[in-house]
C-alpha cells in the first residue's frame, strides 16, 4: 500500500506543479481500470485506489489552502496575480483556440520573438 500512496503523492505534486499533468494521471487511472480483474481481487484494487486518492489529495489540498491564504481563492492561480491581463480571464488562459495554432504573438510577456 505504501507504493500506491507514494504514487498518489507524486501524481499530486506533479499536478500542482503543472495542472495539465492531471490528464496524464487520468489516463493512467483509465488504463488501470481497463485491465481485467482476472488475477486481482476487487478488494486489493479498492485499497490501492483509496491509497492513491489519499496520496493525490494531500499536495493538492495543501496547494489549494495556500492559494486561499495568499491569492484569495482556493482555485486562484499565481499566474493571474503576476500577469492579470493574460491569465486573469479563464477564456484567455484555457481556450480551444490554443489547440489549432500559436497565440503567443498576442501575449505581451511571451519569452520568444513574435512570428508576425
Amino acid at each position: 500500500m505504501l507504493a500506491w500512496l507514494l504514487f498518489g503523492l507524486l501524481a499530486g505534486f506533479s499536478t500542482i506543479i503543472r495542472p495539465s499533468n492531471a490528464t496524464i494521471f487520468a489516463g493512467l487511472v483509465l488504463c488501470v481500470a481497463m485491465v481485467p480483474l482476472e488475477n486481482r481481487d476487487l478488494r486489493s484494487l479498492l485499497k490501492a485506489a483509496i491509497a492513491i486518492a489519499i496520496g493525490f489529495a494531500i499536495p493538492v489540498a495543501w496547494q489549494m489552502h495556500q492559494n486561499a491564504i495568499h491569492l484569495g481563492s482556493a482555485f486562484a492561480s499565481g499566474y493571474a496575480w503576476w500577469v492579470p491581463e493574460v491569465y486573469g480571464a479563464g477564456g484567455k488562459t484555457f481556450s480551444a483556440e490554443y489547440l489549432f495554432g500559436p497565440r503567443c504573438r498576442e501575449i505581451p510577456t511571451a519569452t520568444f520573438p513574435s512570428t508576425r
Side-chain angles (χ1 to χ4, degrees):
M1 279 308 121
L2 187 61
W4 291 115
L5 184 67
L6 182 62
F7 173 72
L9 272 170
L10 292 175
F13 277 116
S14 174
T15 299
I16 65 171
I17 291 169
R18 185 168 302 269
S20 60
N21 287 349
T23 59
I24 297 169
F25 180 65
L28 288 171
V29 169
L30 181 64
C31 289
V32 169
M34 289 173 49
V35 174
L37 291 172
E38 295 170 1
N39 297 327
R40 299 178 291 183
D41 58 7
L42 188 59
R43 185 180 180 113
S44 64
L45 187 64
L46 186 60
K47 284 182 184 179
I50 291 171
I52 292 170
I54 290 170
F56 185 82
I58 291 170
V60 172
W62 174 75
Q63 182 67 44
M64 291 176 75
H65 175 69
Q66 293 299 314
N67 285 353
I69 290 171
H70 299 291
L71 302 173
S73 169
F75 298 101
S77 168
Y79 290 111
W81 188 80
W82 283 102
V83 191
E85 64 272 5
V86 177
Y87 298 105
K92 284 185 169 182
T93 307
F94 302 104
S95 175
E97 293 179 32
Y98 295 120
L99 295 173
F100 304 109
R103 298 259 324 250
C104 288
R105 60 181 164 264
E106 297 176 14
I107 300 173
T109 57
T111 57
F112 50 88
S114 176
T115 56
R116 284 189 193 193

